[in-house]
Amino acid sequence: MKVVLPDNSKLELPEGATGLHAARAIGPKLAEQAVLVRANGQVQDLRLPLQDGQPIQILTTRDKDDPDALYVLRHSSAHLLAEAVRRLYPGVKVAIGPPIENGFYYDFEFPEPVSEDDLPRIEDEIRRELDEGREWARQEVTAEEARKRFEVEGEPYKVELVGTAKGPISLYTQGDFTDLCRGPHLQNSKPIKAVKLTGLAGAYWRGDEHNTQLTRIYGTAFYSQADLDAYLERVEEARRRDHRKLGPQLDLFHLAENAPGSPYWHPKGMVIWNELEDLRRRENAKRGYVEVKTPLLYDVDTYITSGHYENYEENMFFVQGHEDEKRLALKPMNCPGHMLLFGERRRSYRELPLRYAESSTLHRDERGGTLHGLLRVKHITQDDAHVFVTEEQIQDEIHGMVEYVRYLYDLFGLTPKAELSTRPEKRLGTDEQWDRAEEALEDALKRHGMDYEISPGEGTFYGPKIDLHMTDSLGRSWQMGTIQLDYQMPERFDLMYSGADNVDHRPVVIHRALLGSLERFAGILIEHYGGAFPFWLAPVQIRILPVGEDHREPARALQKNLGDYRVEIDERDETVGKRIRDAEVEKIPYVIVYGDKESDESLAVRKPGGEQSTLSLDGLRAEISEVATL
């Protein structure tokens, strides 16, 4: 048989040859360094047979930054963690241990309590395994053979997994540890140059709170110590920028147990919030959106019509009024209200595209264990819009939305990328409708020349979507806005418009949120800027520090002269040095120290980054004017 190499040359191999055979045929050095094979673009263990005509790519230790190469390294490292834990804690029950973004974890049921203090001991045991060296051997067995093996070993979680496994059962063994696993794995442990256990948490078996709570140990691994050191430095920087720490420190917001998942916004935080809202309204108006406001509560029949009751009930809050009244629900999304608004009267094709925009409070019953500061909340405010279009208008409208998102993200120094999510198993509508919807979104991305990835099965129940991701200043990727094409809700709400032919036609609706949840976006911005917001977004733009009591009145006059901006005076009876340090901690963009030598013609100004200069009031205004607006 023959396989196709990345340069389009063909490599002849015997029938049943594996990725490792292919690597050896190319060269012994490649075979020694090989960690993984991509066959038809899919990750495959080196030990598995290749198919005739397959395009293949062999990844090696030189591909240390490739996500798939890191995936297999971390998968094997997770198995080393499990082997180490079994050695150190006789009687421990082993659950699952997958690689994840930036690392891996493994879940265990320990016979005794363990804590963060135990991680160095486990880490030392992993290093001992690496010093000894490990090789991974793959074996395929029947489900019955696997079940009996794990029953004898006293591993109930593995027995349960065997009972639900689909397809061939494979086992991987390294040292004295055998695991139920599909792979892929490294040939041996030589490529693993750096392993670090990073944390410990509780986790319910299979994510069900009614099941046993296990102990989850997190870790990460790299092909070099330098890469691990760089990663840990990024993690430490991320901790310093954590919005849950900076939010209260900068007096922006706080969270409390009496309102879980619902932030309290302080006056300074509301400055940021209102700037984002002003940006949303201003840019929407430029693009032909009209502001609407729809109810917070609807009867359950509305959500039955929209499909939310069937597909989203577990995430909704319900309200029961008087006994003789209908059961109501707080809206988790704006779309049902916008459908009813469109259908309130007969529409003409001349009104389309009709772009409804609404920044409204939404409520979603996220589980307590998933809440995370501003990034995952129960109280959500989206820069939401629903655009009603004809079939012919779809491409241009989505094209305009992609242009819009590029503009918005560029304002904040964020780099967007797209993910096209296609039809899930649980969905509304016909395959023909989904074909048209998916094709329309993909054509719009291609037309715009925007890089994108396809995520099969991750669309919403009513239509495919473009998810918008961005990369922040630490190189982290965040999911932000979304553009969703929907044929279903106009049909379920029986929406129509009168066409130029005087015949009724069904509109198509595009669901669109570009910043996404404003709470989440604010949390990401806090971390992206590390709390040092650009001048236009900073809650306090200028702080004046009068040196003594005699300087307070001139400082107030200066504040009045700078009234176009957000200016504070710090008159506390603290030393000037202490007040300067406090302003630096609060990341105030401009700090003016006002003493005997200062006047409107000579101001002592501390700029972002600690730079000091002397400016006149006019000079300061001229400098600030360049950064004061978008």
mmCIF file of all heavy atoms in Angstrom, residues 545 580-581 584 588-593 603-613:
data_model
loop_
_atom_site.group_PDB
_atom_site.id
_atom_site.type_symbol
_atom_site.label_atom_id
_atom_site.label_comp_id
_atom_site.label_asym_id
_atom_site.label_seq_id
_atom_site.Cartn_x
_atom_site.Cartn_y
_atom_site.Cartn_z
ATOM 1 N N LEU A 545 -2.968 65.576 43.214
ATOM 2 C CA LEU A 545 -2.503 65.407 44.585
ATOM 3 C C LEU A 545 -2.000 66.747 45.106
ATOM 4 O O LEU A 545 -0.855 67.144 44.838
ATOM 5 C CB LEU A 545 -1.367 64.376 44.660
ATOM 6 C CG LEU A 545 -1.586 63.029 43.964
ATOM 7 C CD1 LEU A 545 -0.372 62.131 44.167
ATOM 8 C CD2 LEU A 545 -2.842 62.353 44.477
ATOM 9 N N ILE A 580 0.999 58.857 45.836
ATOM 10 C CA ILE A 580 1.481 58.482 44.497
ATOM 11 C C ILE A 580 1.461 56.968 44.345
ATOM 12 O O ILE A 580 1.002 56.440 43.318
ATOM 13 C CB ILE A 580 2.903 59.046 44.262
ATOM 14 C CG1 ILE A 580 2.850 60.566 44.075
ATOM 15 C CG2 ILE A 580 3.528 58.386 43.026
ATOM 16 C CD1 ILE A 580 4.221 61.208 43.988
ATOM 17 N N ARG A 581 1.924 56.252 45.371
ATOM 18 C CA ARG A 581 1.918 54.779 45.295
ATOM 19 C C ARG A 581 0.495 54.245 45.179
ATOM 20 O O ARG A 581 0.229 53.303 44.421
ATOM 21 C CB ARG A 581 2.616 54.195 46.521
ATOM 22 C CG ARG A 581 4.136 54.355 46.501
ATOM 23 C CD ARG A 581 4.804 53.504 47.559
ATOM 24 N NE ARG A 581 4.427 53.919 48.912
ATOM 25 C CZ ARG A 581 5.035 54.869 49.605
ATOM 26 N NH1 ARG A 581 6.046 55.544 49.058
ATOM 27 N NH2 ARG A 581 4.654 55.178 50.834
ATOM 28 N N GLU A 584 -0.655 54.611 41.696
ATOM 29 C CA GLU A 584 -0.033 53.594 40.834
ATOM 30 C C GLU A 584 -0.729 52.259 40.988
ATOM 31 O O GLU A 584 -0.974 51.544 40.004
ATOM 32 C CB GLU A 584 1.452 53.480 41.162
ATOM 33 C CG GLU A 584 2.273 54.690 40.727
ATOM 34 C CD GLU A 584 3.711 54.626 41.193
ATOM 35 O OE1 GLU A 584 4.014 53.791 42.077
ATOM 36 O OE2 GLU A 584 4.543 55.404 40.676
ATOM 37 N N ILE A 588 -4.066 54.769 37.811
ATOM 38 C CA ILE A 588 -4.599 56.026 37.281
ATOM 39 C C ILE A 588 -3.701 56.486 36.131
ATOM 40 O O ILE A 588 -2.483 56.597 36.307
ATOM 41 C CB ILE A 588 -4.639 57.124 38.371
ATOM 42 C CG1 ILE A 588 -5.351 56.609 39.634
ATOM 43 C CG2 ILE A 588 -5.309 58.379 37.822
ATOM 44 C CD1 ILE A 588 -6.780 56.223 39.443
ATOM 45 N N PRO A 589 -4.228 56.770 34.953
ATOM 46 C CA PRO A 589 -3.371 57.124 33.809
ATOM 47 C C PRO A 589 -2.501 58.358 34.027
ATOM 48 O O PRO A 589 -1.315 58.350 33.714
ATOM 49 C CB PRO A 589 -4.373 57.342 32.670
ATOM 50 C CG PRO A 589 -5.564 56.522 33.051
ATOM 51 C CD PRO A 589 -5.635 56.590 34.545
ATOM 52 N N TYR A 590 -3.084 59.446 34.557
ATOM 53 C CA TYR A 590 -2.327 60.685 34.749
ATOM 54 C C TYR A 590 -2.478 61.154 36.199
ATOM 55 O O TYR A 590 -3.599 61.248 36.712
ATOM 56 C CB TYR A 590 -2.815 61.781 33.806
ATOM 57 C CG TYR A 590 -2.359 61.604 32.372
ATOM 58 C CD1 TYR A 590 -3.030 60.747 31.515
ATOM 59 C CD2 TYR A 590 -1.240 62.284 31.896
ATOM 60 C CE1 TYR A 590 -2.607 60.565 30.210
ATOM 61 C CE2 TYR A 590 -0.808 62.117 30.585
ATOM 62 C CZ TYR A 590 -1.490 61.252 29.757
ATOM 63 O OH TYR A 590 -1.060 61.083 28.464
ATOM 64 N N VAL A 591 -1.339 61.439 36.830
ATOM 65 C CA VAL A 591 -1.326 61.938 38.206
ATOM 66 C C VAL A 591 -0.580 63.274 38.216
ATOM 67 O O VAL A 591 0.544 63.364 37.704
ATOM 68 C CB VAL A 591 -0.636 60.945 39.163
ATOM 69 C CG1 VAL A 591 -0.601 61.504 40.581
ATOM 70 C CG2 VAL A 591 -1.356 59.593 39.134
ATOM 71 N N ILE A 592 -1.228 64.297 38.780
ATOM 72 C CA ILE A 592 -0.631 65.632 38.857
ATOM 73 C C ILE A 592 -0.337 65.950 40.320
ATOM 74 O O ILE A 592 -1.252 65.951 41.162
ATOM 75 C CB ILE A 592 -1.565 66.705 38.268
ATOM 76 C CG1 ILE A 592 -1.883 66.396 36.800
ATOM 77 C CG2 ILE A 592 -0.942 68.096 38.402
ATOM 78 C CD1 ILE A 592 -2.940 67.312 36.204
ATOM 79 N N VAL A 593 0.921 66.191 40.629
ATOM 80 C CA VAL A 593 1.318 66.623 41.973
ATOM 81 C C VAL A 593 1.336 68.153 41.985
ATOM 82 O O VAL A 593 2.075 68.781 41.203
ATOM 83 C CB VAL A 593 2.705 66.061 42.356
ATOM 84 C CG1 VAL A 593 3.094 66.555 43.759
ATOM 85 C CG2 VAL A 593 2.689 64.538 42.311
ATOM 86 N N LEU A 603 2.901 72.129 35.314
ATOM 87 C CA LEU A 603 2.289 71.045 36.087
ATOM 88 C C LEU A 603 3.225 69.839 36.124
ATOM 89 O O LEU A 603 3.762 69.430 35.088
ATOM 90 C CB LEU A 603 0.949 70.633 35.467
ATOM 91 C CG LEU A 603 -0.144 71.712 35.416
ATOM 92 C CD1 LEU A 603 -1.339 71.205 34.615
ATOM 93 C CD2 LEU A 603 -0.570 72.115 36.825
ATOM 94 N N ALA A 604 3.416 69.286 37.328
ATOM 95 C CA ALA A 604 4.231 68.080 37.493
ATOM 96 C C ALA A 604 3.345 66.866 37.235
ATOM 97 O O ALA A 604 2.470 66.549 38.041
ATOM 98 C CB ALA A 604 4.824 68.024 38.893
ATOM 99 N N VAL A 605 3.539 66.224 36.084
ATOM 100 C CA VAL A 605 2.648 65.160 35.617
ATOM 101 C C VAL A 605 3.375 63.820 35.611
ATOM 102 O O VAL A 605 4.489 63.715 35.087
ATOM 103 C CB VAL A 605 2.120 65.475 34.196
ATOM 104 C CG1 VAL A 605 1.187 64.364 33.717
ATOM 105 C CG2 VAL A 605 1.416 66.819 34.178
ATOM 106 N N ARG A 606 2.750 62.817 36.218
ATOM 107 C CA ARG A 606 3.232 61.432 36.141
ATOM 108 C C ARG A 606 2.331 60.695 35.160
ATOM 109 O O ARG A 606 1.113 60.614 35.359
ATOM 110 C CB ARG A 606 3.195 60.746 37.508
ATOM 111 C CG ARG A 606 4.125 61.391 38.536
ATOM 112 C CD ARG A 606 3.975 60.716 39.889
ATOM 113 N NE ARG A 606 4.465 59.344 39.843
ATOM 114 C CZ ARG A 606 5.717 58.987 40.133
ATOM 115 N NH1 ARG A 606 6.626 59.919 40.457
ATOM 116 N NH2 ARG A 606 6.081 57.724 40.102
ATOM 117 N N LYS A 607 2.939 60.150 34.130
ATOM 118 C CA LYS A 607 2.179 59.504 33.053
ATOM 119 C C LYS A 607 2.170 57.996 33.254
ATOM 120 O O LYS A 607 2.867 57.460 34.114
ATOM 121 C CB LYS A 607 2.801 59.856 31.701
ATOM 122 C CG LYS A 607 2.895 61.346 31.426
ATOM 123 C CD LYS A 607 3.583 61.597 30.100
ATOM 124 C CE LYS A 607 3.844 63.083 29.885
ATOM 125 N NZ LYS A 607 4.552 63.338 28.615
ATOM 126 N N PRO A 608 1.401 57.282 32.426
ATOM 127 C CA PRO A 608 1.396 55.823 32.498
ATOM 128 C C PRO A 608 2.809 55.267 32.387
ATOM 129 O O PRO A 608 3.622 55.729 31.586
ATOM 130 C CB PRO A 608 0.538 55.415 31.296
ATOM 131 C CG PRO A 608 -0.373 56.582 31.077
ATOM 132 C CD PRO A 608 0.438 57.792 31.434
ATOM 133 N N GLY A 609 3.113 54.282 33.231
ATOM 134 C CA GLY A 609 4.446 53.688 33.222
ATOM 135 C C GLY A 609 5.415 54.403 34.137
ATOM 136 O O GLY A 609 6.593 54.057 34.209
ATOM 137 N N GLY A 610 4.956 55.456 34.875
ATOM 138 C CA GLY A 610 5.815 56.150 35.820
ATOM 139 C C GLY A 610 6.629 57.279 35.222
ATOM 140 O O GLY A 610 7.421 57.924 35.920
ATOM 141 N N GLU A 611 6.467 57.562 33.924
ATOM 142 C CA GLU A 611 7.210 58.652 33.293
ATOM 143 C C GLU A 611 6.774 59.986 33.896
ATOM 144 O O GLU A 611 5.578 60.239 34.077
ATOM 145 C CB GLU A 611 6.951 58.649 31.788
ATOM 146 C CG GLU A 611 7.656 59.767 31.043
ATOM 147 C CD GLU A 611 7.220 59.868 29.591
ATOM 148 O OE1 GLU A 611 6.534 58.937 29.107
ATOM 149 O OE2 GLU A 611 7.557 60.878 28.953
ATOM 150 N N GLN A 612 7.729 60.851 34.201
ATOM 151 C CA GLN A 612 7.443 62.150 34.788
ATOM 152 C C GLN A 612 7.823 63.265 33.814
ATOM 153 O O GLN A 612 8.834 63.163 33.116
ATOM 154 C CB GLN A 612 8.214 62.333 36.099
ATOM 155 C CG GLN A 612 7.881 61.285 37.143
ATOM 156 C CD GLN A 612 8.602 61.527 38.447
ATOM 157 O OE1 GLN A 612 8.556 62.625 39.000
ATOM 158 N NE2 GLN A 612 9.271 60.511 38.951
ATOM 159 N N SER A 613 7.003 64.303 33.776
ATOM 160 C CA SER A 613 7.298 65.433 32.899
ATOM 161 C C SER A 613 6.630 66.679 33.452
ATOM 162 O O SER A 613 5.775 66.607 34.340
ATOM 163 C CB SER A 613 6.822 65.159 31.476
ATOM 164 O OG SER A 613 5.409 65.022 31.446
#
